[in-house]
Amino acid sequence: MKMNMLNEKVIAVMNEVDFSGNVLVKRNNDLLQQHSDGFANRTHSILNNEQTRFGIASGCKIFTAVAICQLAEKGQLSFDSKLSDILEIPFPRFDEEITIHHLLTHTAGIPDYFDEEVMEDFADLWVSQPMYLMRNGLDFLPLFQLEPMKFKVGERFHYNNAGYILLGLVVEQVSGKGFDVYVTENIFKRAEMEQSGYFELDALPRNTALGYIDEEDGSWKSNIYSVPVKGGADGGAFITVEDMHRFWQALMKFELLGEAITQQLLTPYINTDDDYDRFYGYGVWIDKKEDCISKYHVMGYDPGVSFHSAYYPESGLVSVVCSNKSEGAFDVFKEIENI
């Protein structure tokens, strides 16, 4: 365990949830809290360290949104562009009025390959569709391509992984590059996220944490048979906590996008919770307090992965919590936020 400037209340929560992962809190470039705990590899007792890479599941949807915004900024597509005009792939039961904006904001109404409103265990997907075959966006199409619309276009917010798979295919079609190649060249490199990438589980680079699933009887297993072998536009990138801080800094300093289109990405387009002032922009959750934006945040959960990160515009503070367990990141994240 390595600790640096960590609040005692946060330590107590970490002990309570048996936290495994990394924490980083900075205000601009001033380090406020930092911590590494648990094992990146339990079999060989390899500890997590400050430079360990973690999977972040859906937390990387914001990278997909930035990629789309970059293409829009270049005039290669618009947010009003229709999916049917960009992709030549047939979706016989989809509404032809679906736009890029609908996909970005989870309002397209399309079916999802993993519907979080009706399904509980992500690992169940790979019974009929082996996870080791899922290495790019096209591999996911059989899971939803021929299904009917779930809602009318624009009717409501419905968190949708398939929509971001389609956005990744749009990036590939418009840019002429593989999705992971495009993001690496145009986001990770520009933000100096040198340790981040879309790595395959059967070819992980050194200093990358395996994800772990803890069972109620005290046993555990890694997540290598529970998630796609390679992440993509809907989730599954690997980052370090410092790289995630660099991403927020680059985004907010308009180093990835110009100011005008950055504001479009960060606009609270749709309320996602009737009981709470929580909205969704393009690939990012947005909280409001008294009509002012209090927080931009991203999160991700997979078997063996939990992740939360936020940027607080009033203070310029960034918090990043990565865990290579299915749970724990949220509890630590909320205690940091309370402080």
Side-chain angles (χ1 to χ4, degrees):
M1 180 178 72
K2 185 174 179 62
M3 190 184 336
N4 182 12
M5 304 170 62
L6 195 68
N7 185 281
E8 292 182 1
K9 293 182 178 180
V10 179
I11 295 173
V13 171
M14 286 181 169
N15 291 335
E16 183 179 338
V17 302
D18 190 23
F19 180 75
S20 176
N22 283 3
V23 172
L24 181 72
V25 183
K26 282 188 172 184
R27 182 179 290 112
N28 298 316
N29 287 315
D30 294 332
L31 180 64
L32 302 183
Q33 298 191 53
Q34 187 173 27
H35 183 81
S36 298
D37 209 346
F39 291 101
N41 186 307
R42 295 182 182 182
T43 302
H44 299 292
S45 299
I46 299 173
L47 293 169
N48 287 316
N49 60 70
E50 293 174 5
Q51 297 302 317
T52 300
R53 305 175 234 232
F54 293 86
I56 61 171
S58 290
C60 61
K61 281 185 170 69
I62 194 169
F63 303 154
T64 305
V66 169
I68 289 288
C69 287
Q70 287 177 341
L71 297 174
E73 191 170 40
K74 295 175 183 176
Q76 295 180 275
L77 56 77
S78 78
F79 300 121
D80 294 326
S81 295
K82 295 179 180 178
L83 177 68
S84 57
D85 290 337
I86 299 177
L87 292 185
E88 297 178 356
I89 301 168
F91 298 96
R93 306 176 77 178
F94 283 18
D95 194 312
E96 293 194 356
E97 296 303 308
I98 294 170
T99 66
I100 298 299
H101 172 84
H102 291 131
L103 295 171
L104 285 167
T105 56
H106 301 285
T107 58
I110 66 171
D112 200 357
Y113 73 84
F114 178 67
D115 192 334
E116 298 184 13
E117 291 187 353
V118 297
M119 300 174 71
E120 292 184 0
D121 193 347
F122 192 53
D124 289 345
L125 278 172
W126 319 124
V127 174
S128 59
Q129 189 83 5
M131 48 69 60
Y132 56 80
L133 298 178
M134 313 303 284
R135 294 180 188 266
N136 59 64
L138 292 173
D139 295 332
F140 286 83
L141 292 185
L143 298 175
F144 66 91
Q145 183 178 8
L146 302 180
E147 298 299 315
M149 295 284 289
K150 183 165 183 175
F151 305 105
K152 292 181 180 179
V153 177
E155 179 180 337
R156 54 163 286 196
F157 175 88
H158 175 242
Y159 191 82
N160 193 296
N161 292 288
Y164 271 70
I165 290 288
L166 296 180
L167 289 170
L169 295 176
V170 168
V171 171
E172 293 187 336
Q173 176 68 39
V174 175
S175 71
K177 297 181 178 181
F179 175 79
D180 59 328
V181 174
Y182 180 90
V183 172
T184 299
E185 291 179 354
N186 295 280
I187 297 176
F188 294 163
K189 286 186 178 178
R190 287 170 65 175
E192 298 183 355
M193 300 167 67
E194 297 177 356
Q195 303 303 313
S196 300
Y198 291 86
F199 309 129
E200 296 175 305
L201 294 182
D202 52 4
L204 290 176
R206 66 180 300 276
N207 211 4
T208 302
L210 288 173
Y212 289 99
I213 303 164
D214 291 318
E215 307 292 353
E216 292 185 3
D217 63 2
S219 64
W220 55 265
K221 60 183 179 182
S222 76
N223 67 350
I224 59 171
Y225 297 119
S226 302
V227 295
V229 69
K230 184 176 182 179
D234 65 323
F238 288 82
I239 57 104
T240 66
V241 287
E242 183 59 49
D243 273 3
M244 195 65 206
H245 172 259
R246 291 189 178 107
F247 170 78
W248 284 116
Q249 291 289 94
L251 180 66
M252 296 304 174
K253 291 179 178 178
F254 314 122
E255 294 171 355
L256 299 176
L257 297 163
E259 183 172 359
I261 204 158
T262 298
Q263 292 307 320
Q264 286 184 270
L265 178 119
L266 298 175
T267 295
Y269 291 106
I270 186 164
N271 194 319
T272 65
D273 191 334
D274 293 335
D275 300 321
Y276 193 73
D277 282 340
R278 175 158 293 167
F279 298 80
Y280 203 80
Y282 287 164
V284 60
W285 302 89
I286 302 169
D287 286 8
K288 297 177 81 174
K289 188 178 293 184
E290 298 177 355
D291 294 326
C292 293
I293 293 173
S294 59
K295 175 172 65 173
Y296 300 104
H297 57 119
V298 292
M299 66 186 86
Y301 288 89
D302 273 343
V305 176
S306 55
F307 166 77
H308 280 264
S309 182
Y311 174 84
Y312 303 85
E314 290 185 0
S315 64
L317 186 142
V318 170
S319 64
V320 188
V321 182
C322 295
S323 176
N324 59 327
K325 293 175 60 175
S326 302
E327 299 178 351
F330 176 75
D331 303 88
V332 175
F333 176 81
K334 287 305 294 183
E335 187 58 38
I336 289 171
E337 194 167 74
N338 291 339
I339 294 169

